[in-house]
Amino acid sequence: MMRLTTLAALLSFSIAARAQKFENLAMTPPMGWNSWNTFAVKIDEKMVMDMADAMVTSGMRDAGYIYLVLDDGWMAMERDAQGNLVPDPQKFPHGIKAVADYVHSKGLKFGLYNCAGTKTCAGYPGTRGCEYQDARNYAAWEIDYLKFDWCSSEGINAREAYATMSKALRKAGRPIIFSLCEWGQNKPWEWAAPIGQLWRTTGDINPLYDGIKRYGNWHANGVMTIVDLQADLARYAGPGHWNDPDMLEVGNGMSQPEDRTHFSMWCMLAAPLISGNDLRKMSPQTTAILTNKEAIAIDQDPLGAQGIRYSTRDSVETWVKPLQNGDWAICFLNRSLNPKNLSFDWGKENIADSLVHSALNVHSTTYSLHDCWQGKNVGSTSAPLAATIPPHDVILLRLKK
Ligand code: GLA
């Protein structure tokens, strides 16, 4: 009898050890909206429903932003007597399932946040030790996406903690995108592909073009600071497993060229596009940036290659990204505070991506140059590209065969 029990325990252990994430989720980088960047913990049922409506009326849903994710602050301060997570009764008087139902009724998907540690970053109950129970509740509430943070995680092994939650989600049986938010501290790009669909690569973003912003004992990163930290990570990204340079700050205070740059670079990086602005009162300029179809097509390209930095010349960086049909995306990024004249002679360059064994051969093929922000053709690779890039702005091109 004893031996049978041991055998059963061993068997279930080895099944758990082999359990992997749900496959065929997030085959292109996830797109959606998350509450944190605008609302922090000041979230409630009405705001979520209004935001779901706004995702539809603004055109965001139809542009591909499908996931509405509630970040930190949705829970009550204590679990119930059975150890279940409880939604804050003031903020969510009808519970989370009702909110998820509403979001689903709009043709959207719904996500929640929790944390691998004992408490979330805002001090609500974390999941440590309750992984399977929490996963069962998430599945019962019909959520589609879980962002899993890394506060109060002292003494915890990151890989094990995230693997446990991944297995718990798998066991709960509902396909849920698993978004690791471990800030890149333990190089999740080296181990998280079997565990989740995306992993944060850095600390938090801020609506700041470059540098870092200090808040007491922590700091947040500007967009360019984050871009620099992605440059060596391209080999780790692909369909179903993405580097996540954090949510978007488009519409949250940077200048229009800076917002355009931020969005262009996230598309070049095949980054998840999770907007973080108040969609109920977006300016037409912000809407135009977030819903630019050609930029989004670069991000969502099925090949799933993350762009690489090809050159840096006089403060202008050239980033390149091979696309599935043999097209290429090219982004000229002016990081300086001065306008920069660009003269780019395609015939003298040697653009290639060894990770996907692809090369841009302008000697055998003439590509037309489509400017994604101007929405028009600006020439071909048979002549050098001459243009002026305003300060903190970009030129985003799709080279078409
Ligand atoms: C961390 C995460 C953020 C956000 C907050 C919530 O800082 O990195 O994205 O989820 O916690 O408290």
Side-chain angles (χ1 to χ4, degrees):
M1 181 63 192
M2 189 64 191
R3 287 177 59 181
L4 267 181
T5 318
T6 313
L7 184 64
L10 273 176
L11 267 177
S12 80
F13 176 78
S14 84
I15 288 166
R18 273 189 283 117
Q20 298 230 313
K21 70 178 184 183
F22 282 100
E23 292 299 340
N24 299 317
L25 288 179
M27 299 309 278
T28 60
M31 293 176 67
W33 178 86
N34 174 299
S35 52
W36 184 252
N37 286 354
T38 294
F39 296 94
V41 296
K42 292 194 193 107
I43 52 181
D44 61 32
E45 176 182 282
K46 178 165 186 329
M47 182 279 287
V48 178
M49 291 163 85
D50 288 350
M51 207 60 68
D53 293 348
M55 285 176 85
V56 178
T57 54
S58 64
M60 289 287 282
R61 180 194 64 184
D62 292 346
Y65 297 85
I66 291 298
Y67 290 92
L68 189 162
V69 181
L70 265 189
D71 208 284
D72 209 350
W74 61 269
M75 288 177 268
M77 280 305 192
E78 303 290 339
R79 291 174 180 267
D80 70 11
Q82 287 73 46
N84 294 306
L85 291 171
V86 180
D88 181 311
Q90 252 85 50
K91 294 174 177 174
F92 297 99
H94 301 94
I96 291 295
K97 175 72 166 58
V99 175
D101 285 349
Y102 186 83
V103 171
H104 287 146
S105 78
K106 297 284 158 180
L108 299 164
K109 291 178 182 283
F110 183 65
L112 280 181
Y113 160 102
N114 208 321
C115 185
T118 49
K119 283 192 185 307
T120 73
C121 295
Y124 296 90
T127 287
R128 179 71 175 158
C130 302
E131 288 82 0
Y132 286 81
Q133 183 171 8
D134 289 356
R136 280 195 301 276
N137 278 326
Y138 299 145
W141 294 337
E142 298 188 1
I143 79 162
D144 308 293
Y145 187 110
L146 178 68
K147 172 176 170 182
F148 211 51
D149 214 340
W150 190 232
C151 276
S152 303
S153 59
E154 295 72 25
I156 303 177
N157 177 296
R159 188 175 180 162
E160 285 174 11
Y162 283 97
T164 302
M165 193 63 211
S166 177
K167 285 173 196 162
L169 290 172
R170 179 84 204 207
K171 184 94 196 303
R174 181 176 172 87
I176 293 176
I177 287 186
F178 190 37
S179 159
L180 287 75
C181 180
E182 173 274 0
W183 318 317
Q185 290 189 344
N186 296 277
K187 299 189 176 169
W189 44 87
E190 290 181 351
W191 47 262
I195 291 174
Q197 281 74 25
L198 61 158
W199 49 82
R200 279 273 295 279
T201 54
T202 70
D204 289 6
I205 195 169
N206 237 224
L208 171 73
Y209 183 77
D210 204 356
I212 59 172
K213 187 159 179 177
R214 297 199 174 279
Y215 296 92
N217 60 357
W218 71 287
H219 72 267
N221 302 293
V223 168
M224 287 301 125
T225 307
I226 292 182
V227 164
D228 287 335
L229 293 166
Q230 311 312 305
D232 295 328
L233 301 182
R235 80 191 63 174
Y236 300 104
H241 51 101
W242 308 101
N243 291 310
D244 175 9
D246 205 358
M247 303 172 288
L248 294 165
E249 291 281 19
V250 174
N252 284 346
M254 287 187 289
S255 71
Q256 210 181 316
E258 290 172 343
D259 272 355
R260 189 162 44 234
T261 296
H262 172 26
F263 194 71
S264 301
M265 285 309 301
W266 261 231
C267 292
M268 290 299 291
L269 292 168
L273 298 179
I274 308 293
S275 53
N277 56 315
D278 190 342
L279 305 177
R280 300 168 305 182
K281 39 185 182 190
M282 273 198 286
S283 71
Q285 292 82 358
T286 297
T287 309
I289 291 173
L290 287 172
T291 61
N292 182 298
K293 282 197 167 60
E294 290 154 15
I296 291 172
I298 291 170
D299 180 76
Q300 295 288 300
D301 185 76
L303 183 62
Q306 176 172 325
I308 52 178
R309 183 153 49 196
Y310 166 71
S311 64
T312 305
R313 297 169 194 160
D314 186 24
S315 301
V316 176
E317 297 180 4
T318 302
W319 287 74
V320 304
K321 181 184 197 290
L323 305 176
Q324 192 184 47
N325 63 352
D327 289 2
W328 282 74
I330 312 276
C331 186
F332 298 105
L333 166 68
N334 178 6
R335 291 180 67 151
S336 85
L337 282 167
N338 301 311
K340 291 287 174 186
N341 292 325
L342 175 73
S343 174
F344 199 82
D345 190 345
W346 304 98
K348 293 191 179 144
E349 305 290 344
N350 192 10
I351 293 175
D353 184 336
S354 56
L355 293 172
V356 295
H357 307 293
S358 185
L360 177 73
N361 190 341
V362 297
H363 301 291
S364 59
T365 309
T366 299
Y367 297 78
S368 64
L369 310 179
H370 188 83
D371 185 314
C372 300
W373 293 114
Q374 292 191 63
K376 67 175 193 194
N377 198 296
V378 291
S380 82
T381 52
S382 62
L385 177 70
T388 301
I389 318 176
H392 286 190
D393 211 336
V394 285
I395 294 177
L396 180 64
L397 300 178
R398 185 180 185 115
L399 273 59
K400 295 188 183 172
K401 269 187 146 178

